[in-house]
mmCIF file of all heavy atoms in Angstrom:
data_model
loop_
_atom_site.group_PDB
_atom_site.id
_atom_site.type_symbol
_atom_site.label_atom_id
_atom_site.label_comp_id
_atom_site.label_asym_id
_atom_site.label_seq_id
_atom_site.Cartn_x
_atom_site.Cartn_y
_atom_site.Cartn_z
ATOM 1 N N GLN A 45 -122.916 272.413 -91.170
ATOM 2 C CA GLN A 45 -121.831 272.691 -92.128
ATOM 3 C C GLN A 45 -121.339 274.110 -92.016
ATOM 4 O O GLN A 45 -122.129 275.028 -91.837
ATOM 5 C CB GLN A 45 -122.319 272.477 -93.545
ATOM 6 C CG GLN A 45 -122.576 271.046 -93.912
ATOM 7 C CD GLN A 45 -123.024 270.896 -95.367
ATOM 8 O OE1 GLN A 45 -122.854 271.793 -96.170
ATOM 9 N NE2 GLN A 45 -123.586 269.765 -95.684
ATOM 10 N N PRO A 46 -120.017 274.269 -92.098
ATOM 11 C CA PRO A 46 -119.460 275.619 -92.092
ATOM 12 C C PRO A 46 -119.799 276.323 -93.397
ATOM 13 O O PRO A 46 -120.041 275.681 -94.428
ATOM 14 C CB PRO A 46 -117.944 275.407 -91.922
ATOM 15 C CG PRO A 46 -117.704 274.054 -92.436
ATOM 16 C CD PRO A 46 -118.978 273.277 -92.157
ATOM 17 N N SER A 47 -119.791 277.676 -93.367
ATOM 18 C CA SER A 47 -120.114 278.416 -94.598
ATOM 19 C C SER A 47 -119.041 278.177 -95.637
ATOM 20 O O SER A 47 -117.859 277.962 -95.332
ATOM 21 C CB SER A 47 -120.231 279.877 -94.310
ATOM 22 O OG SER A 47 -118.999 280.383 -93.865
ATOM 23 N N ASN A 48 -119.460 278.227 -96.907
ATOM 24 C CA ASN A 48 -118.520 277.948 -98.010
ATOM 25 C C ASN A 48 -118.073 279.337 -98.539
ATOM 26 O O ASN A 48 -118.823 280.042 -99.197
ATOM 27 C CB ASN A 48 -119.262 277.147 -99.098
ATOM 28 C CG ASN A 48 -118.308 276.715 -100.183
ATOM 29 O OD1 ASN A 48 -117.094 276.985 -100.077
ATOM 30 N ND2 ASN A 48 -118.847 276.066 -101.209
ATOM 31 N N SER A 49 -116.815 279.706 -98.270
ATOM 32 C CA SER A 49 -116.311 280.987 -98.734
ATOM 33 C C SER A 49 -115.387 280.795 -99.905
ATOM 34 O O SER A 49 -114.387 281.475 -100.060
ATOM 35 C CB SER A 49 -115.544 281.671 -97.555
ATOM 36 O OG SER A 49 -114.484 280.862 -97.160
ATOM 37 N N GLN A 50 -115.747 279.852 -100.751
ATOM 38 C CA GLN A 50 -114.918 279.569 -101.952
ATOM 39 C C GLN A 50 -115.029 280.746 -102.893
ATOM 40 O O GLN A 50 -116.039 281.342 -103.106
ATOM 41 C CB GLN A 50 -115.421 278.320 -102.593
ATOM 42 C CG GLN A 50 -114.546 277.717 -103.608
ATOM 43 C CD GLN A 50 -115.095 276.410 -104.196
ATOM 44 O OE1 GLN A 50 -116.290 276.215 -104.164
ATOM 45 N NE2 GLN A 50 -114.250 275.549 -104.621
ATOM 46 N N GLY A 51 -113.891 281.108 -103.473
ATOM 47 C CA GLY A 51 -113.860 282.227 -104.387
ATOM 48 C C GLY A 51 -113.444 283.510 -103.761
ATOM 49 O O GLY A 51 -113.101 284.455 -104.421
ATOM 50 N N MET A 52 -113.497 283.608 -102.463
ATOM 51 C CA MET A 52 -113.074 284.815 -101.730
ATOM 52 C C MET A 52 -111.561 284.954 -101.676
ATOM 53 O O MET A 52 -111.069 286.023 -101.443
ATOM 54 C CB MET A 52 -113.662 284.853 -100.356
ATOM 55 C CG MET A 52 -115.183 284.920 -100.319
ATOM 56 S SD MET A 52 -115.820 286.358 -101.148
ATOM 57 C CE MET A 52 -115.372 287.638 -100.007
ATOM 58 N N GLY A 53 -110.828 283.852 -101.885
ATOM 59 C CA GLY A 53 -109.417 283.904 -101.892
ATOM 60 C C GLY A 53 -108.826 284.721 -102.957
ATOM 61 O O GLY A 53 -107.751 285.325 -102.796
ATOM 62 N N ALA A 54 -109.486 284.808 -104.077
ATOM 63 C CA ALA A 54 -108.983 285.608 -105.206
ATOM 64 C C ALA A 54 -108.985 287.093 -104.839
ATOM 65 O O ALA A 54 -108.134 287.839 -105.274
ATOM 66 C CB ALA A 54 -109.804 285.333 -106.422
ATOM 67 N N LEU A 55 -109.947 287.525 -104.063
ATOM 68 C CA LEU A 55 -110.068 288.931 -103.677
ATOM 69 C C LEU A 55 -108.985 289.339 -102.688
ATOM 70 O O LEU A 55 -108.460 290.424 -102.718
ATOM 71 C CB LEU A 55 -111.452 289.237 -103.113
ATOM 72 C CG LEU A 55 -112.600 289.099 -104.076
ATOM 73 C CD1 LEU A 55 -113.919 289.311 -103.341
ATOM 74 C CD2 LEU A 55 -112.462 290.082 -105.221
ATOM 75 N N SER A 56 -108.659 288.430 -101.783
ATOM 76 C CA SER A 56 -107.709 288.764 -100.700
ATOM 77 C C SER A 56 -106.313 288.254 -101.040
ATOM 78 O O SER A 56 -105.372 288.482 -100.273
ATOM 79 C CB SER A 56 -108.157 288.148 -99.378
ATOM 80 O OG SER A 56 -108.195 286.745 -99.488
ATOM 81 N N GLY A 57 -106.111 287.564 -102.147
ATOM 82 C CA GLY A 57 -104.789 287.113 -102.503
ATOM 83 C C GLY A 57 -104.378 285.793 -101.894
ATOM 84 O O GLY A 57 -103.191 285.447 -101.950
ATOM 85 N N GLN A 58 -105.270 285.051 -101.301
ATOM 86 C CA GLN A 58 -104.913 283.798 -100.678
ATOM 87 C C GLN A 58 -104.769 282.735 -101.745
ATOM 88 O O GLN A 58 -105.434 282.743 -102.784
ATOM 89 C CB GLN A 58 -106.001 283.336 -99.695
ATOM 90 C CG GLN A 58 -106.127 284.291 -98.497
ATOM 91 C CD GLN A 58 -107.270 283.865 -97.630
ATOM 92 O OE1 GLN A 58 -108.046 282.957 -98.006
ATOM 93 N NE2 GLN A 58 -107.362 284.474 -96.457
ATOM 94 N N SER A 59 -103.868 281.782 -101.451
ATOM 95 C CA SER A 59 -103.675 280.669 -102.426
ATOM 96 C C SER A 59 -104.294 279.424 -101.817
ATOM 97 O O SER A 59 -104.635 279.333 -100.661
ATOM 98 C CB SER A 59 -102.191 280.483 -102.690
ATOM 99 O OG SER A 59 -101.557 280.105 -101.473
ATOM 100 N N ASP A 60 -104.373 278.346 -102.663
ATOM 101 C CA ASP A 60 -104.888 277.088 -102.214
ATOM 102 C C ASP A 60 -103.951 276.440 -101.225
ATOM 103 O O ASP A 60 -102.741 276.502 -101.363
ATOM 104 C CB ASP A 60 -105.082 276.133 -103.421
ATOM 105 C CG ASP A 60 -106.285 276.533 -104.256
ATOM 106 O OD1 ASP A 60 -107.177 277.219 -103.741
ATOM 107 O OD2 ASP A 60 -106.291 276.173 -105.432
ATOM 108 N N THR A 61 -104.504 275.796 -100.240
ATOM 109 C CA THR A 61 -103.725 275.078 -99.229
ATOM 110 C C THR A 61 -103.977 273.561 -99.362
ATOM 111 O O THR A 61 -104.867 273.160 -100.103
ATOM 112 C CB THR A 61 -104.115 275.525 -97.790
ATOM 113 O OG1 THR A 61 -105.448 275.177 -97.583
ATOM 114 C CG2 THR A 61 -103.869 277.016 -97.634
ATOM 115 N N PHE A 62 -103.196 272.773 -98.662
ATOM 116 C CA PHE A 62 -103.382 271.351 -98.698
ATOM 117 C C PHE A 62 -104.765 270.991 -98.183
ATOM 118 O O PHE A 62 -105.431 270.130 -98.712
ATOM 119 C CB PHE A 62 -102.298 270.670 -97.835
ATOM 120 C CG PHE A 62 -102.451 269.176 -97.781
ATOM 121 C CD1 PHE A 62 -102.116 268.352 -98.822
ATOM 122 C CD2 PHE A 62 -103.022 268.616 -96.624
ATOM 123 C CE1 PHE A 62 -102.275 267.002 -98.731
ATOM 124 C CE2 PHE A 62 -103.177 267.227 -96.533
ATOM 125 C CZ PHE A 62 -102.799 266.444 -97.593
ATOM 126 N N TYR A 63 -105.193 271.702 -97.142
ATOM 127 C CA TYR A 63 -106.505 271.428 -96.576
ATOM 128 C C TYR A 63 -107.676 271.711 -97.520
ATOM 129 O O TYR A 63 -108.581 270.959 -97.675
ATOM 130 C CB TYR A 63 -106.695 272.224 -95.256
ATOM 131 C CG TYR A 63 -108.100 272.102 -94.689
ATOM 132 C CD1 TYR A 63 -108.486 270.949 -94.049
ATOM 133 C CD2 TYR A 63 -109.054 273.115 -94.811
ATOM 134 C CE1 TYR A 63 -109.749 270.772 -93.522
ATOM 135 C CE2 TYR A 63 -110.334 273.013 -94.289
ATOM 136 C CZ TYR A 63 -110.653 271.810 -93.656
ATOM 137 O OH TYR A 63 -111.914 271.688 -93.155
ATOM 138 N N SER A 64 -107.527 272.798 -98.250
ATOM 139 C CA SER A 64 -108.608 273.167 -99.183
ATOM 140 C C SER A 64 -108.647 272.240 -100.397
ATOM 141 O O SER A 64 -109.729 272.022 -100.972
ATOM 142 C CB SER A 64 -108.452 274.588 -99.672
ATOM 143 O OG SER A 64 -107.262 274.712 -100.501
ATOM 144 N N LYS A 65 -107.563 271.630 -100.712
ATOM 145 C CA LYS A 65 -107.540 270.669 -101.841
ATOM 146 C C LYS A 65 -108.029 269.262 -101.417
ATOM 147 O O LYS A 65 -108.468 268.499 -102.265
ATOM 148 C CB LYS A 65 -106.128 270.559 -102.425
ATOM 149 C CG LYS A 65 -105.658 271.791 -103.136
ATOM 150 C CD LYS A 65 -104.289 271.582 -103.721
ATOM 151 C CE LYS A 65 -103.821 272.845 -104.380
ATOM 152 N NZ LYS A 65 -102.459 272.729 -104.947
ATOM 153 N N ASN A 66 -107.992 268.938 -100.158
ATOM 154 C CA ASN A 66 -108.382 267.638 -99.663
ATOM 155 C C ASN A 66 -109.623 267.701 -98.793
ATOM 156 O O ASN A 66 -109.727 266.884 -97.853
ATOM 157 C CB ASN A 66 -107.191 266.945 -98.932
ATOM 158 C CG ASN A 66 -106.058 266.653 -99.862
ATOM 159 O OD1 ASN A 66 -106.272 266.091 -100.904
ATOM 160 N ND2 ASN A 66 -104.859 267.006 -99.426
ATOM 161 N N LYS A 67 -110.561 268.579 -99.056
ATOM 162 C CA LYS A 67 -111.742 268.716 -98.213
ATOM 163 C C LYS A 67 -112.650 267.462 -98.334
ATOM 164 O O LYS A 67 -113.449 267.189 -97.482
ATOM 165 C CB LYS A 67 -112.535 269.939 -98.622
ATOM 166 C CG LYS A 67 -111.993 271.194 -98.056
ATOM 167 C CD LYS A 67 -112.947 272.349 -98.359
ATOM 168 C CE LYS A 67 -112.398 273.631 -97.826
ATOM 169 N NZ LYS A 67 -113.225 274.753 -98.147
ATOM 170 N N GLY A 68 -112.549 266.732 -99.450
ATOM 171 C CA GLY A 68 -113.385 265.545 -99.632
ATOM 172 C C GLY A 68 -113.152 264.471 -98.639
ATOM 173 O O GLY A 68 -114.001 263.613 -98.389
ATOM 174 N N ARG A 69 -112.008 264.515 -98.002
ATOM 175 C CA ARG A 69 -111.660 263.443 -97.028
ATOM 176 C C ARG A 69 -111.942 263.900 -95.586
ATOM 177 O O ARG A 69 -111.728 263.131 -94.673
ATOM 178 C CB ARG A 69 -110.174 263.037 -97.160
ATOM 179 C CG ARG A 69 -109.833 262.479 -98.486
ATOM 180 C CD ARG A 69 -108.415 262.085 -98.570
ATOM 181 N NE ARG A 69 -108.067 261.745 -99.918
ATOM 182 C CZ ARG A 69 -106.866 261.909 -100.454
ATOM 183 N NH1 ARG A 69 -105.903 262.328 -99.744
ATOM 184 N NH2 ARG A 69 -106.686 261.532 -101.696
ATOM 185 N N THR A 70 -112.436 265.086 -95.444
ATOM 186 C CA THR A 70 -112.668 265.588 -94.074
ATOM 187 C C THR A 70 -114.126 265.405 -93.730
ATOM 188 O O THR A 70 -114.959 264.959 -94.511
ATOM 189 C CB THR A 70 -112.322 267.044 -94.043
ATOM 190 O OG1 THR A 70 -113.168 267.763 -94.912
ATOM 191 C CG2 THR A 70 -110.862 267.301 -94.360
ATOM 192 N N LEU A 71 -114.468 265.838 -92.527
ATOM 193 C CA LEU A 71 -115.883 265.805 -92.064
ATOM 194 C C LEU A 71 -116.749 266.761 -92.888
ATOM 195 O O LEU A 71 -117.892 266.430 -93.170
ATOM 196 C CB LEU A 71 -115.900 266.229 -90.578
ATOM 197 C CG LEU A 71 -117.246 266.054 -89.859
ATOM 198 C CD1 LEU A 71 -117.678 264.577 -89.898
ATOM 199 C CD2 LEU A 71 -117.108 266.543 -88.446
ATOM 200 N N GLU A 72 -116.147 267.840 -93.362
ATOM 201 C CA GLU A 72 -116.930 268.774 -94.208
ATOM 202 C C GLU A 72 -117.293 268.118 -95.522
ATOM 203 O O GLU A 72 -118.410 268.297 -96.022
ATOM 204 C CB GLU A 72 -116.055 270.008 -94.420
ATOM 205 C CG GLU A 72 -116.736 271.104 -95.222
ATOM 206 C CD GLU A 72 -115.828 272.326 -95.354
ATOM 207 O OE1 GLU A 72 -114.854 272.466 -94.605
ATOM 208 O OE2 GLU A 72 -116.091 273.088 -96.301
ATOM 209 N N GLY A 73 -116.364 267.383 -96.114
ATOM 210 C CA GLY A 73 -116.664 266.687 -97.350
ATOM 211 C C GLY A 73 -117.689 265.588 -97.157
ATOM 212 O O GLY A 73 -118.577 265.344 -98.026
ATOM 213 N N THR A 74 -117.667 264.938 -96.011
ATOM 214 C CA THR A 74 -118.641 263.899 -95.715
ATOM 215 C C THR A 74 -120.033 264.536 -95.568
ATOM 216 O O THR A 74 -121.010 263.958 -96.052
ATOM 217 C CB THR A 74 -118.267 263.182 -94.401
ATOM 218 O OG1 THR A 74 -116.953 262.636 -94.526
ATOM 219 C CG2 THR A 74 -119.244 262.050 -94.087
ATOM 220 N N PHE A 75 -120.113 265.679 -94.934
ATOM 221 C CA PHE A 75 -121.392 266.359 -94.766
ATOM 222 C C PHE A 75 -121.969 266.803 -96.153
ATOM 223 O O PHE A 75 -123.157 266.731 -96.406
ATOM 224 C CB PHE A 75 -121.292 267.605 -93.884
ATOM 225 C CG PHE A 75 -121.279 267.269 -92.431
ATOM 226 C CD1 PHE A 75 -120.634 268.126 -91.512
ATOM 227 C CD2 PHE A 75 -121.917 266.160 -91.923
ATOM 228 C CE1 PHE A 75 -120.636 267.843 -90.175
ATOM 229 C CE2 PHE A 75 -121.926 265.871 -90.561
ATOM 230 C CZ PHE A 75 -121.277 266.723 -89.668
ATOM 231 N N LYS A 76 -121.076 267.225 -97.040
ATOM 232 C CA LYS A 76 -121.499 267.652 -98.339
ATOM 233 C C LYS A 76 -122.056 266.448 -99.129
ATOM 234 O O LYS A 76 -123.125 266.561 -99.755
ATOM 235 C CB LYS A 76 -120.324 268.267 -99.112
ATOM 236 C CG LYS A 76 -120.737 268.929 -100.398
ATOM 237 C CD LYS A 76 -119.560 269.599 -101.078
ATOM 238 C CE LYS A 76 -119.297 270.929 -100.452
ATOM 239 N NZ LYS A 76 -118.308 271.727 -101.187
ATOM 240 N N ARG A 77 -121.386 265.297 -99.096
ATOM 241 C CA ARG A 77 -121.891 264.108 -99.759
ATOM 242 C C ARG A 77 -123.215 263.634 -99.178
ATOM 243 O O ARG A 77 -124.147 263.276 -99.884
ATOM 244 C CB ARG A 77 -120.844 262.993 -99.705
ATOM 245 C CG ARG A 77 -119.754 263.084 -100.692
ATOM 246 C CD ARG A 77 -118.972 261.806 -100.790
ATOM 247 N NE ARG A 77 -118.434 261.395 -99.488
ATOM 248 C CZ ARG A 77 -117.245 261.715 -99.026
ATOM 249 N NH1 ARG A 77 -116.447 262.395 -99.771
ATOM 250 N NH2 ARG A 77 -116.817 261.289 -97.844
ATOM 251 N N LEU A 78 -123.281 263.685 -97.818
ATOM 252 C CA LEU A 78 -124.488 263.235 -97.128
ATOM 253 C C LEU A 78 -125.672 264.139 -97.522
ATOM 254 O O LEU A 78 -126.835 263.684 -97.654
ATOM 255 C CB LEU A 78 -124.264 263.245 -95.648
ATOM 256 C CG LEU A 78 -125.202 262.482 -94.768
ATOM 257 C CD1 LEU A 78 -125.300 261.043 -95.196
ATOM 258 C CD2 LEU A 78 -124.805 262.561 -93.307
ATOM 259 N N THR A 79 -125.405 265.448 -97.660
ATOM 260 C CA THR A 79 -126.482 266.368 -98.073
ATOM 261 C C THR A 79 -127.009 266.028 -99.448
ATOM 262 O O THR A 79 -128.219 265.993 -99.667
ATOM 263 C CB THR A 79 -125.939 267.821 -98.067
ATOM 264 O OG1 THR A 79 -125.427 268.126 -96.799
ATOM 265 C CG2 THR A 79 -126.991 268.807 -98.478
ATOM 266 N N VAL A 80 -126.158 265.718 -100.372
ATOM 267 C CA VAL A 80 -126.548 265.368 -101.727
ATOM 268 C C VAL A 80 -127.366 264.059 -101.704
ATOM 269 O O VAL A 80 -128.398 263.907 -102.355
ATOM 270 C CB VAL A 80 -125.359 265.287 -102.689
ATOM 271 C CG1 VAL A 80 -125.746 264.729 -104.026
ATOM 272 C CG2 VAL A 80 -124.705 266.664 -102.825
ATOM 273 N N ILE A 81 -126.855 263.079 -100.979
ATOM 274 C CA ILE A 81 -127.496 261.754 -100.931
ATOM 275 C C ILE A 81 -128.897 261.868 -100.352
ATOM 276 O O ILE A 81 -129.869 261.306 -100.867
ATOM 277 C CB ILE A 81 -126.616 260.740 -100.133
ATOM 278 C CG1 ILE A 81 -125.362 260.414 -100.942
ATOM 279 C CG2 ILE A 81 -127.426 259.467 -99.827
ATOM 280 C CD1 ILE A 81 -124.343 259.636 -100.216
ATOM 281 N N ILE A 82 -129.013 262.584 -99.229
ATOM 282 C CA ILE A 82 -130.351 262.704 -98.601
ATOM 283 C C ILE A 82 -131.272 263.498 -99.480
ATOM 284 O O ILE A 82 -132.457 263.123 -99.577
ATOM 285 C CB ILE A 82 -130.188 263.403 -97.190
ATOM 286 C CG1 ILE A 82 -129.529 262.442 -96.210
ATOM 287 C CG2 ILE A 82 -131.564 263.817 -96.662
ATOM 288 C CD1 ILE A 82 -129.248 263.068 -94.886
ATOM 289 N N GLY A 83 -130.794 264.485 -100.186
ATOM 290 C CA GLY A 83 -131.642 265.222 -101.116
ATOM 291 C C GLY A 83 -132.180 264.341 -102.266
ATOM 292 O O GLY A 83 -133.373 264.399 -102.589
ATOM 293 N N ILE A 84 -131.336 263.484 -102.804
ATOM 294 C CA ILE A 84 -131.750 262.574 -103.859
ATOM 295 C C ILE A 84 -132.775 261.577 -103.344
ATOM 296 O O ILE A 84 -133.770 261.267 -103.997
ATOM 297 C CB ILE A 84 -130.523 261.864 -104.457
ATOM 298 C CG1 ILE A 84 -129.665 262.891 -105.272
ATOM 299 C CG2 ILE A 84 -130.936 260.709 -105.390
ATOM 300 C CD1 ILE A 84 -128.351 262.327 -105.732
ATOM 301 N N VAL A 85 -132.523 261.004 -102.143
ATOM 302 C CA VAL A 85 -133.459 260.037 -101.557
ATOM 303 C C VAL A 85 -134.821 260.690 -101.289
ATOM 304 O O VAL A 85 -135.868 260.121 -101.531
ATOM 305 C CB VAL A 85 -132.835 259.420 -100.269
ATOM 306 C CG1 VAL A 85 -133.914 258.624 -99.484
ATOM 307 C CG2 VAL A 85 -131.659 258.548 -100.591
ATOM 308 N N MET A 86 -134.805 261.945 -100.821
ATOM 309 C CA MET A 86 -136.049 262.665 -100.570
ATOM 310 C C MET A 86 -136.805 262.883 -101.859
ATOM 311 O O MET A 86 -138.022 262.773 -101.901
ATOM 312 C CB MET A 86 -135.799 263.989 -99.853
ATOM 313 C CG MET A 86 -135.451 263.880 -98.407
ATOM 314 S SD MET A 86 -135.132 265.423 -97.583
ATOM 315 C CE MET A 86 -136.742 266.157 -97.718
ATOM 316 N N PHE A 87 -136.122 263.210 -102.925
ATOM 317 C CA PHE A 87 -136.746 263.414 -104.248
ATOM 318 C C PHE A 87 -137.411 262.116 -104.684
ATOM 319 O O PHE A 87 -138.575 262.111 -105.165
ATOM 320 C CB PHE A 87 -135.733 263.892 -105.272
ATOM 321 C CG PHE A 87 -136.283 263.971 -106.657
ATOM 322 C CD1 PHE A 87 -137.098 265.063 -106.998
ATOM 323 C CD2 PHE A 87 -136.006 263.020 -107.598
ATOM 324 C CE1 PHE A 87 -137.603 265.140 -108.298
ATOM 325 C CE2 PHE A 87 -136.536 263.107 -108.884
ATOM 326 C CZ PHE A 87 -137.331 264.185 -109.214
ATOM 327 N N VAL A 88 -136.709 261.005 -104.608
ATOM 328 C CA VAL A 88 -137.276 259.695 -105.015
ATOM 329 C C VAL A 88 -138.492 259.351 -104.182
ATOM 330 O O VAL A 88 -139.508 258.859 -104.700
ATOM 331 C CB VAL A 88 -136.213 258.600 -104.989
ATOM 332 C CG1 VAL A 88 -136.758 257.244 -105.158
ATOM 333 C CG2 VAL A 88 -135.107 258.888 -106.013
ATOM 334 N N LEU A 89 -138.412 259.531 -102.864
ATOM 335 C CA LEU A 89 -139.555 259.272 -102.006
ATOM 336 C C LEU A 89 -140.734 260.146 -102.326
ATOM 337 O O LEU A 89 -141.889 259.657 -102.236
ATOM 338 C CB LEU A 89 -139.111 259.368 -100.540
ATOM 339 C CG LEU A 89 -138.248 258.287 -99.953
ATOM 340 C CD1 LEU A 89 -137.859 258.604 -98.551
ATOM 341 C CD2 LEU A 89 -138.969 256.925 -100.015
ATOM 342 N N ALA A 90 -140.499 261.389 -102.597
ATOM 343 C CA ALA A 90 -141.633 262.296 -102.959
ATOM 344 C C ALA A 90 -142.273 261.822 -104.246
ATOM 345 O O ALA A 90 -143.543 261.861 -104.356
ATOM 346 C CB ALA A 90 -141.131 263.734 -103.097
ATOM 347 N N VAL A 91 -141.505 261.428 -105.237
ATOM 348 C CA VAL A 91 -142.091 260.878 -106.439
ATOM 349 C C VAL A 91 -142.893 259.646 -106.204
ATOM 350 O O VAL A 91 -144.005 259.508 -106.722
ATOM 351 C CB VAL A 91 -141.000 260.656 -107.575
ATOM 352 C CG1 VAL A 91 -141.544 259.920 -108.714
ATOM 353 C CG2 VAL A 91 -140.411 262.006 -107.981
ATOM 354 N N LEU A 92 -142.346 258.733 -105.420
ATOM 355 C CA LEU A 92 -143.080 257.511 -105.081
ATOM 356 C C LEU A 92 -144.382 257.825 -104.323
ATOM 357 O O LEU A 92 -145.392 257.169 -104.557
ATOM 358 C CB LEU A 92 -142.221 256.562 -104.237
ATOM 359 C CG LEU A 92 -141.113 255.836 -104.961
ATOM 360 C CD1 LEU A 92 -140.249 255.073 -103.965
ATOM 361 C CD2 LEU A 92 -141.696 254.927 -106.024
ATOM 362 N N PHE A 93 -144.359 258.797 -103.429
ATOM 363 C CA PHE A 93 -145.523 259.136 -102.727
ATOM 364 C C PHE A 93 -146.639 259.593 -103.652
ATOM 365 O O PHE A 93 -147.775 259.197 -103.568
ATOM 366 C CB PHE A 93 -145.231 260.256 -101.711
ATOM 367 C CG PHE A 93 -146.427 260.751 -100.930
ATOM 368 C CD1 PHE A 93 -146.947 260.003 -99.921
ATOM 369 C CD2 PHE A 93 -147.017 261.939 -101.260
ATOM 370 C CE1 PHE A 93 -148.034 260.425 -99.225
ATOM 371 C CE2 PHE A 93 -148.125 262.380 -100.584
ATOM 372 C CZ PHE A 93 -148.643 261.612 -99.534
#
Side-chain angles (χ1 to χ4, degrees):
Q45 290 182 16
S47 65
N48 189 3
S49 61
Q50 194 175 27
M52 295 300 289
L55 294 175
S56 62
Q58 295 176 351
S59 61
D60 288 336
T61 63
F62 177 76
Y63 174 72
S64 67
K65 291 181 181 178
N66 292 315
K67 280 186 181 178
R69 298 183 189 150
T70 62
L71 188 60
E72 184 179 339
T74 304
F75 281 153
K76 189 178 279 190
R77 278 193 306 266
L78 197 57
T79 303
V80 171
I81 290 169
I82 290 176
I84 291 170
V85 170
M86 285 180 66
F87 175 77
V88 170
L89 286 175
V91 169
L92 285 175
F93 177 77

